[in-house]
Structure formats: C-alpha cells, structure tokens
Amino acid sequence: MPEIAAPRRKRNLWTAVTMALLTSIGVAVWQLWPASAPAVSVPDRVCDKRLSGKIAADLLPEEGEPYWENTGDGFGVPHDGPTPDCTIAADDREVSVEYFRYLDTDMHKYRHKAREEAELVASIPGSVPLRLGEARGHASKRAAILLLNCPMRGYPGTVTASVYGMSGFPPDSSDVKAFAELTAETLRLAARDVYKCGSSPSLPTGSPTLGRPRAE
C-alpha cells in the first residue's frame, strides 16, 4: 500500500501546484489586461432633439467616453441673428453640424460663399458628388455639404447644410455615407423648419445619392 499511496500523493501535489501557478498567472494577466471601454450610448434624437441619433451614431465611436453635445440656442427653429450650430461628440471624436442661408441683395452678394464652401469639400481627394432631390453638393471621408436654392423676399438665396469631422477620426476612417446622410438630415431640417424654402418639398426622405469618387 505505501508504494501506491506515495506516487498518488505526489501526483496530487503536482496537480495542486500546477493549478496554483495557472491561477496566479491568470490573475496577473487579468490585472494587466486593459479594461474594455464602456459602450457609447447616443440618444434617439441629437442636436436639441432635432436630428436622428441613429444617423449621428454612425460618425461616433462605439466605445469610450460618454456622448455629449453642445447646441446653440434656436438650433432647428426659426431665429434671428447668427445661425446656431451643433457639436456632437463621444470619446475623443467631435463632429460639427451647421446650416446657413446666403443671400444676394442689392447691397451685398454672398451666394458665392456657398459655392466656395462646396468647392473646398469637392477638392478633397476621394470626394464624391452628392445629391438630394434638387440639392447638390459633395461628400468626403471627413465632411459633406449640400446646397439648395432658397430665395427670400425676391432675393436669390442658397441654403447650405454641412457636417465636418473636427477631431478624433482615425487615419483609415471612411465615413462618406454617414457624413452624407447626416448632412441630408440637416438640410431637410433647415429647408423645411428654419428657412421655409419653397423648394423643400423636393427633398426626398431616405439616403442621398452618392456619385463616383474623385481620383485619390
């Protein structure tokens, strides 16, 4: 019996030692392993509840610091004074959402500024033409803009809606479609609710149309 019991106790000892070592190693690895970042929760409506949170979420990281926004007073409603903008953000990524109306009056000519802004986005390598009904513009990996004819009191006018990635986008990020969709959503809001453009009924629901990309 002693010849049998001794090896069994030895095997049990080695098993216990092995399990203890594996447990120690597991605890050490668990302590050194970085904790996973919390999921980012984007509200159903963003920018003072004027825009779709589902569309906005496509431009923000899925994990990291919580969602926050900074929205100017009167975003999405008729207003006097400077056009308010909206910044949406999560973790280290920030996105600016804006709209504006440029007018050519007897005293001042501003509509060319809308075209210049669109040309800047169009000049980005990889940008694509963007269309939503009668609105035209461009979209890229970091920005999108749409222009819509919108006169006021007999003066020619152009409404712009634009979305820009301000910071935190990885070098290999490609969010052309997401930028285009949030820009389309912003233009519908500006044309229908803010500036009451006569051409706003021409803006269809759903995704805008993307053309062929420019050469890189």
Side-chain angles (χ1 to χ4, degrees), residues 2-182:
E3 291 79 10
I4 298 176
R8 182 177 296 170
R9 288 197 299 270
K10 193 173 183 179
R11 286 197 300 271
N12 290 342
L13 177 61
W14 277 113
T15 300
V17 170
T18 302
M19 292 301 297
L21 286 173
L22 291 174
T23 301
S24 299
I25 293 171
V27 170
V29 170
W30 177 80
Q31 290 176 337
L32 293 174
W33 196 268
S36 60
V40 171
S41 177
V42 179
D44 291 338
R45 305 292 295 176
V46 300
C47 291
D48 205 18
K49 299 182 179 181
R50 296 288 174 175
L51 299 174
S52 167
K54 182 178 180 180
I55 296 176
D58 290 337
L59 289 173
L60 298 174
E62 296 180 356
E63 297 180 341
E65 294 297 318
Y67 171 86
W68 61 268
E69 68 177 58
N70 183 12
T71 307
D73 292 337
F75 186 91
V77 297
H79 60 276
D80 296 321
T83 300
D85 60 5
C86 170
T87 298
I88 59 174
D91 204 47
D92 63 345
R93 192 176 303 180
E94 295 186 16
V95 178
S96 175
V97 182
E98 303 175 357
Y99 57 79
F100 198 75
R101 175 159 58 182
Y102 296 92
L103 287 173
D104 283 350
T105 66
D106 296 335
M107 298 290 295
H108 303 286
K109 308 294 182 183
Y110 290 122
R111 292 179 71 203
H112 69 280
K113 294 184 178 295
R115 294 190 296 272
E116 290 172 358
E117 189 178 355
E119 288 168 2
L120 285 176
V121 178
S123 67
I124 300 173
S127 67
V128 299
L130 180 62
R131 187 175 76 180
L132 182 70
E134 293 183 5
R136 299 290 187 274
H138 295 273
S140 76
K141 297 177 181 179
R142 295 293 187 278
I145 186 169
L146 279 168
L147 281 62
L148 180 68
N149 183 47
C150 185
M152 184 181 74
R153 299 174 190 151
Y155 291 112
T158 299
V159 165
T160 65
S162 56
V163 178
Y164 293 96
M166 298 171 64
S167 64
F169 282 85
D172 59 348
S173 174
S174 179
D175 295 295
V176 177
K177 185 174 184 290
F179 273 105
E181 291 192 346
L182 188 56

